[in-house]
Amino acid sequence: MKVAIVGAGIIGVTTAWELASDGHEVMVFDRRGAAAEESSFANAGVVAPGYVTPWAAPGMRGKVLRSLLSTHGAVKLRWPLSMRDLHWMSHWQRACKLETYLANRARLQRLAFYSRTRLRAITEACELDYERSDGYLVLLRSKREKKLVQAGLEVLRTAGAKFQEVDADEARKIEPALNADTALAGAIYLPDDEVANCRQFAQLLKWEAEALGAQFHFNCDLAPLKRAAPTELSLATGSESHRFDAVVVCAGVASADLLRPLGLRLPLAPVYGHSISANIREPLSAPRSAVMDERYKVAISRLGLRVRVAGSAEIGGSPGRINPASLQTLYKVLQDWFPGAVTLRSGVQQWKGARPMLPDGPPIIGPSGVPGVWLNLGHGSSGWALSCGSARVLADLMQGRDPGIDLEGFGLERLLQH
């Protein structure tokens, strides 16, 4: 088939590689100037399937309200809030029911474990060399946090994730550079999880896809799909239309506008995250792999010669405005755990990215209901952890093959039921 892919983030690039590997003629279009320039650009890089869970969970509304009142709260509302944001929050609240949460958590973790296996298979098959390291340590500052995390550990056990509960001394053996002056009650260690450079992987896999014949076209702002000819693409500024046998939409938050003329109204909204990346000043003072501060929901990752600190979740606000308070939280957590690890006076990269989130958690993977149009979107903050599995699943579905994992709940009908 002649297939067009809209979006060259980590989802679009992995989809392109899988489809090109299957022998399809693939063309990828993106509005930015290079691959992985938006949500995939400077995320935390953590691949931890057991910690891939829906935002919509019982008790989450109370946690969000408490977070809004905290100076360093993990979740913030920013002005202006659009009608899209309000509509999304309404759907999100309804999805916080226990039964809905349990079903969506199982779906996400099923895909996440499959995706991690697929990531490793692609890395080995293509002999990709990118910044990565093994192990993930979740830091618990207090006895209360140790108690609260027990429910999450049951989730890990159910999912079959390998983990260890460790005390503060053992945690500091795993990550020797942890600041001894910051209170640490214990940690959860996940040795099979990893941290890896999402953007670097995407660029390397793009080259592999091109070697298989895939073509990438950048600086292409496409017009919304047309109901009369849904598999024809043209530029928003006006251009000749090009017809394809199939179109795969994986354009992040922009996917909703592209699909609207087809009668598909997806409750897709941006939830913004922030990160800072800085060069390592003293390697022995930096993390070996990745840690997560459970209290502030901030990850600190070792990526080659740099450390990345990522976190926050903002609903509303302006896409291009980095909020100073969000950065202050990242700097605080970095200073708490790894003081002196990086050079902060110059060369610090500050980033804000939009996570394309659906209100109940799992992405949509599969047919759109419109002939020839396929969806691979809505991965939220777990795009990197879900990308390789999602791409293989979609490629199998497009070929009419059984993907080999249970896909109940990943279709568009899940959203239409609400």
Side-chain angles (χ1 to χ4, degrees):
M1 287 192 296
K2 184 178 181 181
V3 182
I5 296 174
V6 186
I10 187 61
I11 305 298
V13 170
T14 51
T15 301
W17 184 81
E18 292 286 5
L19 289 172
S21 296
D22 284 352
H24 297 291
E25 182 183 346
V26 177
M27 298 179 72
V28 185
F29 301 89
D30 196 279
R31 62 184 180 181
R32 302 299 293 265
E37 287 284 293
E38 294 193 6
S39 302
S40 308
F41 184 80
N43 56 34
V46 174
V47 180
Y51 270 80
V52 174
T53 57
W55 243 45
M60 188 64 179
R61 284 174 286 187
K63 292 180 182 178
V64 169
L65 289 173
R66 289 192 295 273
S67 184
L68 295 177
L69 300 174
S70 170
T71 302
H72 296 291
V75 183
K76 293 296 181 186
L77 298 179
R78 301 295 183 195
W79 186 259
L81 282 171
S82 67
M83 287 302 297
R84 175 183 60 185
D85 298 322
L86 296 173
H87 182 63
W88 184 92
M89 287 190 286
S90 174
H91 277 265
W92 169 75
Q93 288 190 66
R94 291 200 294 273
C96 286
K97 297 175 183 177
L98 178 61
E99 183 180 2
T100 303
Y101 164 72
L102 292 175
N104 287 328
R105 185 186 72 193
R107 291 162 180 156
L108 278 170
Q109 292 185 342
R110 189 164 64 239
L111 179 60
F113 280 102
Y114 174 68
S115 191
R116 185 177 66 184
T117 300
R118 191 68 194 148
L119 167 63
R120 292 172 178 174
I122 293 170
T123 298
E124 182 178 352
C126 296
E127 298 181 346
L128 302 182
D129 183 14
Y130 53 95
E131 297 167 345
R132 65 170 302 282
S133 52
D134 293 318
Y136 184 48
L137 194 65
V138 180
L139 303 176
L140 308 171
R141 292 177 179 250
S142 67
K143 291 181 179 179
R144 181 175 182 271
E145 288 175 26
K146 287 185 69 174
K147 182 179 179 180
L148 290 174
V149 82
Q150 292 305 311
L153 298 186
E154 280 302 314
V155 173
L156 294 179
R157 290 188 186 95
T158 302
K162 183 178 179 181
F163 71 92
Q164 299 170 289
E165 292 184 76
V166 299
D167 60 20
D169 291 339
E170 187 64 26
R172 290 192 165 95
K173 290 179 182 177
I174 296 167
E175 285 288 356
L178 285 171
N179 186 6
D181 294 332
T182 299
L184 180 60
I188 310 302
Y189 181 52
L190 299 104
D192 289 347
D193 292 346
E194 63 188 82
V195 58
N197 191 321
C198 175
R199 181 172 180 250
Q200 195 177 47
F201 176 89
Q203 291 175 330
L204 291 172
L205 196 62
K206 168 187 170 288
W207 295 337
E208 295 292 329
E210 287 176 322
L212 294 172
Q215 299 178 31
F216 285 76
H217 301 275
F218 296 104
N219 298 308
C220 294
D221 188 10
L222 297 180
L225 302 184
K226 299 179 285 289
R227 184 185 290 269
T231 61
E232 287 187 3
L233 298 182
S234 60
L235 296 176
T237 54
S239 70
E240 179 184 352
S241 294
H242 293 272
R243 175 166 290 182
F244 297 86
D245 298 315
V247 172
V248 182
V249 178
C250 39
V253 176
S255 300
D257 290 337
L258 289 169
L259 294 164
R260 189 168 289 112
L262 304 184
L264 300 176
R265 299 190 174 275
L266 302 180
L268 190 66
V271 177
Y272 297 105
H274 292 74
S275 74
I276 54 173
S277 304
N279 293 327
I280 292 174
R281 185 174 72 180
E282 171 48 64
L284 294 179
S285 298
R288 289 177 172 177
S289 185
V291 305
M292 165 66 79
D293 187 306
E294 178 69 13
R295 179 175 299 178
Y296 297 105
K297 306 298 183 185
V298 169
I300 306 174
S301 307
R302 174 83 169 255
L303 295 173
L305 299 177
R306 295 171 301 146
V307 167
R308 177 166 296 157
V309 190
S312 77
E314 293 186 0
I315 301 171
S318 303
R321 183 178 183 273
I322 293 180
N323 195 282
S326 296
L327 295 185
Q328 287 172 11
T329 299
L330 302 184
Y331 282 112
K332 169 192 163 43
V333 175
L334 174 62
Q335 181 65 24
D336 283 352
W337 294 117
F338 299 100
V342 300
T343 302
L344 294 176
R345 291 186 177 181
S346 62
V348 177
Q349 177 194 72
Q350 300 179 346
W351 176 80
K352 176 181 179 179
R355 307 173 182 117
M357 293 186 73
L358 292 164
D360 59 351
I364 299 300
I365 309 169
S368 68
V370 177
V373 179
W374 297 80
L375 309 178
N376 193 2
L377 52 83
H379 296 74
S381 58
S382 302
W384 178 212
L386 300 174
S387 57
C388 294
S390 299
R392 185 63 255 164
V393 163
L394 185 76
D396 285 338
L397 290 174
M398 292 180 71
Q399 287 283 101
R401 292 192 296 254
D402 180 2
I405 69 168
D406 182 4
L407 292 179
E408 186 277 327
F410 286 102
L412 191 60
E413 66 277 0
R414 185 189 86 235
L415 296 179
L416 299 180
Q417 290 171 0
H418 301 286

